[in-house]
Amino acid sequence: MKNKFRVSIVIVFLLVAACDSSGQKDVSEGSNEQQPTDPLSNVELTDLEGNSVKLDDFAGKTIVLNFWATWCKPCIMEMPSMEAASTSLGEGFIFLLASDEDIEKISKFREKQGIDLPFVQLQTGVQNLQITALPTTWIIRDGKVLSEIVGSREWDTQAHIEELKSL
């Protein structure tokens, strides 16, 4: 009986430790999680015409790189608020919506949804970036991932707009 109790306590502890109510990972220095030395080195993007898109093309801007899929309901639900946030934040921010699905599927989705943000195709696949849930969003500036947000959110709330400005 004591062993069952101990095992139960360990399982509960592990479950509690694994949960993160904020949905945001700290990718800054000092994090105990093993992070790739440069997660951005594996990011290969193309626009919907098949042209290469380099994150360096957006130097001086904060990039909100959202990983999503056409079958992901939370991904789709957050897109209108991303578009509104992009408008609120202005030219210092660029939102990129990246899916590893084929370009034709992404293009049809974009037309159907009517979202006016840059959609790009992720050439490398989300699994190669250690992304385990969709949507996942990286906030990038000066070639560094400042924040990783796992899960959907209402991007256009005042609190989230201020959070993005403060990074």
Side-chain angles (χ1 to χ4, degrees):
M1 189 65 138
K2 283 184 178 181
N3 284 339
K4 286 183 181 179
F5 179 74
R6 286 182 185 158
V7 170
S8 296
I9 294 295
V10 169
I11 290 172
V12 168
F13 175 76
L14 291 173
L15 287 172
V16 169
C19 293
D20 178 7
S21 63
S22 71
Q24 188 167 341
K25 281 203 256 182
D26 179 12
V27 292
S28 61
E29 233 177 304
S31 174
N32 289 336
E33 279 190 43
Q34 191 173 14
Q35 297 290 330
T37 53
D38 181 10
L40 297 176
S41 66
N42 292 327
V43 175
E44 292 179 37
L45 304 169
T46 59
D47 64 20
L48 298 184
E49 287 76 44
N51 303 310
S52 179
V53 174
K54 302 285 184 207
L55 296 176
D56 293 344
D57 295 344
F58 307 105
K61 294 186 180 199
T62 299
I63 302 167
V64 180
L65 181 58
N66 177 257
F67 300 99
W68 67 282
T70 58
W71 49 262
C72 172
K73 298 271 188 241
C75 300
I76 297 165
M77 289 176 57
E78 76 175 348
M79 286 181 183
S81 71
M82 292 185 110
E83 188 171 38
S86 176
T87 300
S88 291
L89 288 164
E91 294 196 22
F93 289 80
I94 182 76
F95 283 70
L96 296 175
L97 305 179
S99 174
D100 59 3
E101 296 173 278
D102 68 51
I103 286 179
E104 185 177 325
K105 191 170 194 171
I106 297 168
S107 295
K108 286 180 181 178
F109 174 87
R110 182 179 187 207
E111 287 174 28
K112 181 180 176 187
Q113 297 298 319
I115 301 293
D116 192 29
L117 288 173
F119 283 75
V120 293
Q121 183 188 44
L122 179 64
Q123 298 295 307
T124 50
V126 293
Q127 69 277 8
N128 295 325
L129 300 175
Q130 321 290 284
I131 293 173
T132 58
L134 295 177
T136 291
T137 305
W138 289 354
I139 312 301
I140 304 163
R141 188 180 319 114
D142 298 327
K144 294 183 181 173
V145 178
L146 303 177
S147 180
E148 179 179 72
I149 300 159
V150 179
S152 66
R153 64 167 40 183
E154 289 295 320
W155 289 90
D156 59 342
T157 65
Q158 192 60 38
H160 290 132
I161 296 289
E162 293 304 319
E163 178 185 352
L164 287 171
K165 287 179 179 178
S166 72
L167 291 175

